[in-house]
Amino acid sequence: MALPVSIVVVSRHRPAALMRCLTGISQLDYPGFEVIVVACPAGLAALAQRADADLIKQVPYDEPNISAARNLGISRAAGEIVAFIDDDAVPEPLWLTHLAAPFDIAEVAAAGGFVIGRNGITFQWTARTVDATGQATPLDVSDTQPTVLHPTPGRAIKTEGTNMALRRDVLARMGGFDPAFRFYLDETDLNLRLARRGLATAIVPLAQVHHGFAESARRAPDRTPRDLTEIGASQQAFLRKHCPKEARATAWDRFVGDQRARLLGYMQRGPLDPLDVRRLMRGLRRGGREGAERILDRCPEIPRAAQGFLPYPGRPGAPRIRLSGHIWQAASLRRTAAAKAAEGAIVSLYIMSPGSRYHRVAFTESGVWEQTGGLFGRSLRKGRIWQAWSFQRRVDSEVLRTQNVRG
């Protein structure tokens, strides 16, 4: 029997991204989950226009603190498992099926899946461990089967805030997320606290979400940084909380150097100029001074939810439909795909153009998984740049590539 899961989505000043995320959640093929949205007035106003608004727990919150917002979501969660996804992310239909499965093992306290980047195909983050300075290191695990991992001295199992789940009772006893981490390292702090307790984490490669890196006050649409103040504050707070005192100065200097190198990369590509780099670095150091004074460990136990479990229907057992055609048929195919999705199907649409253009996958506002690219182009970026295909064989290959996460 599937464990009941509470999905928490935090959103601030991104109502369009939130609506797309919720459309993705509405297609989850999982029999028992509820949805909790913690959002600003704009997000809640957009949510009120949805037909499923009454089936979603809504929590008003409009402060720039994702940890505090998530804790409000946990306080409303009535499921045995609490899962987290960002508002600029969309889950594959079998996300919860895979992410919740390892909790059948009693020792598993947390689980994290793989995160797909903006092209809809390449992984942004897979399995990693993290140390007391916040430095993450890739970890080699199966790319199909869950792997249960235990922390080692000085290292924790890394999960991503946009694709992770924990047992609610464990999370509540720990006090949820530390609000000292308003944006950056929030889940990493939680990983270190789990490790301190010796608790196991499952890495679940087939629990996949697509993460868009939507625009915010901290970054432009092309991911160019706009402000590093909060990153600096969280990094300094993290070092105070987890890093041995004698190693903090060296770790901070390395972090500052890494951030400067990142900004110089943006400057070389064009989005930033030297004055921008100087301004952003001033903000980083200013944040570091603030983080050196920030109060830590304000994590009281979170009480049980006053409201019971509010089941969201999702689409358990929904029919899967695939549509495919050439680029000159795109308009007609998109109309058909949108109609099928509105009828309750999970729809994958493949639109092929002549040539070898790289493939991209996007989840559309109408709720369709749309893949576009050249018939002879590559989808997996490690594949061959050009490969001869028949049309049908190419479509079959792409369907096979996603069947374990989409069904």
Side-chain angles (χ1 to χ4, degrees), residues 68-128:
R70 283 176 176 155
N71 289 346
L72 286 173
I74 297 165
S75 73
R76 306 303 200 275
E80 291 185 41
I81 308 300
V82 183
F84 299 92
I85 186 170
D86 290 347
D87 64 352
D88 61 348
V90 176
E92 284 280 358
L94 294 178
W95 173 57
L96 272 194
T97 299
H98 293 300
L99 190 63
F103 290 100
D104 288 341
I105 303 170
E107 66 174 341
V108 172
F114 284 10
V115 179
I116 299 168
R118 297 178 74 171
N119 65 25
I121 295 171
T122 305
F123 286 123
Q124 186 180 91
W125 296 307
T126 55
R128 299 189 290 172

Side-chain angles (χ1 to χ4, degrees), residues 2 33 43 68 91 122 139 163 178 211-212 220-221 255 260 263 281 299 305 313 352 355-356 362 386 392 395:
F33 69 96
T122 305
L139 187 63
N163 185 1
D178 187 340
H211 186 217
F255 172 76
R260 180 174 177 78
L263 296 180
M281 290 303 296
C299 302
M352 300 291 172
S356 57
W386 189 96
Q392 192 59 54
V395 173

Side-chain angles (χ1 to χ4, degrees), residues 161-178:
T162 192
N163 185 1
M164 62 186 289
L166 295 96
R167 294 190 189 275
R168 192 199 184 279
D169 58 350
V170 171
L171 191 55
R173 284 198 303 271
M174 293 174 62
F177 296 82
D178 187 340

